Structures are given as C-alpha cells and as structure tokens.
Amino acid sequence: VASAEDVVVTAGAQQALDLVARVLVAPGDVVAVEDPGYAAVHRLLETHRARVRGVPVDDEGLVADALPDRARLVYLTPSHQFPTGVTMSMARRSAVLRWAGEHDAVVVEDDYDSEYRFADQPLEPLQSLDRDGRVVYVGTFSKSLLPALRAGFVVPPRSLTAALREAKRVTTWEGDLTTQGALASFLAEGHHAAHVRRATKVYRVRRDRVLAGLVGLDDVLRVVPSVAGLHVCARFRDESVDDRAVVARAAARGVFVEGLSTHRREQPVRPGLAIGYGGIDADAVPDAMLRLAAAVRP
Ligand SMILES: Cc1ncc(COP(=O)(O)O)c(C=O)c1O
C-alpha cells in the first residue's frame, strides 16, 4: 500500500536496511532476526552496534512467541524466508504485528524475491495488514533484474519517511540518478513486468527440474514447500547429518549449494540444503541433480 511520495529509492535492500538502522537503532538496542537468516543484514545491524538476537524459524516462519521482549525492531523475510524458503503463515503475520504493537517495536519486511511466483496468490504483505504504522516494507531489483544495479526501495510508515529521506541525503545524496532514471523508464514502459513474465517461465522449468531431481532423494531430504523465489530448500530427515560435509562433497563434484547450518546464528538449526537455480541453464539441471544425489548418498 503506497503512493509515489511514500517510496524512498535506495541502493538495494542493503541500503534500505542501513537507513532504517540509522534512524531507529541506537548502540546497544536489541534487534531480532530470523535464525537461520540473511547474514548480510545481520552484519549490517552489528555495524550499528545493535545486539542482534536470532529467533527460531519453523514451518510457519518466524516463531513469534520467541521474540525477545526488549527488541526494538524485527527483520523478516515473510514471503520466502531466507534461507529456508518458508512462507510465513497468516497466523504468524498477525502475531508479529500484535507483538510489535504491544512492544512499541518496528517490523522490517524484506520482500526480496517474490516477483517470481510459481503458484497461487501471495499472502498479504505485513505492510498491507498493518493498521498501526509499524511496518517498513523493503523491495529490491537485485533478484528481478540484477544485483549490480544497486536499486531498491523502502516504503516506510508516514511517520518515518522524512527521517529516512534525510538519512539517505546525508549518506549518498540521491544515489545514482542515471540508473534510477533508466529504471523508471523501464518500469513505466512495461519492460520490467514483461521481463518478469518471461523470466518466470524460464525459472519455472529450472525449478521443476530441481524438484524432479529431489523426488529421488525423498527418503533423505524433505522439500520445504515454497512457491516463490530463485531457490528451493530441502531438509535432511536425519537431523544428525552434517550439511556442510554434503555441501563440500557436492562442490567437489562441481555442484554449488548452500547448507542451512551456515546461515544460523544462535538457534539450533535442522540441517538442509538451499538449492539456487538463478544462474544455471535448465539443460544442466538434471545432471547437476544427479551429482548432488551422489554427494547426498556418498
Ligand atoms: C534476504 C535477502 N534480502 C535482500 C537481498 C538483496 O539485497 P540487495 O538488494 O542489497 O542486493 C538478498 C540477496 O541475496 C537476500 O537474500
């Protein structure tokens, strides 16, 4: 829910989070994040000397009951949790908003990759469920176009817009207006929407082939249901598996995947693999999945 005046253009999601932290986070403040979660943002919050606390994530997304009472802000990826791929349930969305109201806290919703959807309608973003002006919505063109553009945006509650604009001005003025101008034309002329439609078809084929490869591994790996984004995640049924060892064996076979345990902070994490298909040709996926299978069952 936004009009043009509500949108602050940033150099990607990362700068959006930096501006939010400049405006809202003081040294020593407790900030809650998903665990496992997106380390680039956790590290950014640490440079603002926040005390970053990991909150567990289950099949419904962040466990809202485990949010620390003293947190000033919670950073979330509800549409496609990074890295597990879980979509946050409606019950959890409501619980997070309730928690924020009760604790006078801010919710930062990072919607980094939901342009690519492969099934049904998305659940409502927290930002449009929010009646209380607590949600800061962050978007980026890093996944829908390319990360080197460094183009993203933030839609804050009205009470924060002026402070975020000022924080941006004192750090990078308006940013790269040449790129932003080109991107604005690209959007206005409908090319971005057309690109996302075309690319969704390409990614769908890759994704289906990854999922087909995982069918043969069903006794070992359980696919985490997800309908968006550029990676799928699967968890080991046997929780004693060392996913880092599997990742290393896959790499030795020329297949690069990520272990869920590398994205954890302090919470125990069920081992699993995040399998990205953003940068591989569909024709190469079946062979890569066979090699991954050999790494999973050495
Ligand atoms: C959770 C998450 N948020 C945001 C981004 C993109 O960040 P940026 O817009 O700064 O490139 C990524 C990229 O991998 C991501 O995984």
Side-chain angles (χ1 to χ4, degrees):
V1 180
S3 59
E5 318 75 90
D6 296 318
V7 179
V8 181
V9 177
T10 61
Q14 197 71 8
Q15 189 190 27
L17 265 299
D18 185 52
L19 300 180
V20 169
R22 278 169 191 275
V23 169
L24 291 175
V25 176
D29 280 355
V30 175
V31 167
V33 298
E34 297 162 326
D35 189 358
Y38 183 44
V41 163
H42 306 171
R43 297 206 314 274
L44 170 87
L45 292 165
E46 279 163 350
T47 67
H48 288 276
R49 290 189 279 146
R51 282 186 284 163
V52 179
R53 297 283 176 267
V55 177
V57 174
D58 66 14
D59 288 349
E60 287 191 64
L62 179 111
V63 179
D65 287 348
L67 278 163
D69 275 346
R70 285 176 310 128
R72 168 122 184 73
L73 181 148
V74 56
Y75 165 74
L76 296 172
T77 50
S79 12
H80 188 227
Q81 202 269 332
F82 185 89
T84 65
V86 169
T87 304
M88 183 180 257
S89 68
M90 207 39 145
R92 288 284 170 80
R93 288 171 196 241
S94 306
V96 167
L97 290 175
R98 220 172 23 249
W99 170 87
E102 286 164 7
H103 293 83
D104 195 21
V106 172
V107 179
V108 180
E109 175 172 34
D110 178 1
D111 203 3
Y112 64 107
D113 72 352
S114 59
E115 287 83 2
Y116 295 115
R117 297 198 63 78
F118 305 99
D120 55 30
Q121 286 303 305
L123 291 176
E124 289 228 59
L126 290 165
Q127 194 262 359
S128 46
L129 297 169
D130 175 27
R131 299 281 167 266
D132 227 10
R134 304 213 160 262
V135 177
V136 177
Y137 180 91
V138 173
T140 178
F141 293 92
S142 286
K143 299 285 180 179
S144 67
L145 293 174
L146 69 164
L149 273 183
R150 304 315 304 144
F153 58 94
V154 48
V155 179
R158 291 246 158 99
S159 57
L160 284 178
T161 315
L164 285 174
R165 283 199 198 288
E166 177 61 4
K168 182 181 161 190
R169 228 171 269 131
V170 300
T171 47
T172 57
W173 294 108
E174 302 310 327
D176 177 355
L177 285 175
T178 312
T179 303
Q180 290 168 28
L183 183 55
S185 305
F186 192 76
L187 286 163
E189 292 164 17
H191 302 301
H192 182 258
H195 166 73
V196 168
R197 274 196 304 276
R198 269 198 312 274
T200 300
K201 289 188 192 140
V202 172
Y203 289 134
R204 184 189 292 278
V205 177
R206 299 180 192 177
R207 175 187 168 84
D208 286 348
R209 290 184 184 178
V210 169
L211 291 171
L214 286 170
V215 170
L217 287 170
D218 185 59
D219 55 323
V220 187
L221 282 166
R222 184 177 64 83
V223 175
V224 178
S226 76
V227 293
L230 299 180
H231 73 277
V232 288
C233 208
R235 287 195 166 119
F236 286 97
R237 293 184 187 276
D238 173 357
E239 297 197 4
S240 69
V241 169
D242 176 2
D243 58 16
R244 291 170 200 242
V246 177
V247 167
R249 288 198 298 271
R253 290 172 164 80
V255 179
F256 299 93
V257 292
E258 286 192 0
L260 286 191
S261 62
T262 53
H263 295 282
R264 75 175 276 248
R265 288 184 67 85
E266 64 219 59
Q267 301 291 340
V269 65
R270 300 219 307 273
L273 301 176
I275 306 170
Y277 45 83
I280 183 169
D281 279 346
D283 288 347
V285 174
D287 174 58
M289 292 306 292
L290 287 177
R291 284 191 267 158
L292 180 62
V296 168
R297 290 188 225 273

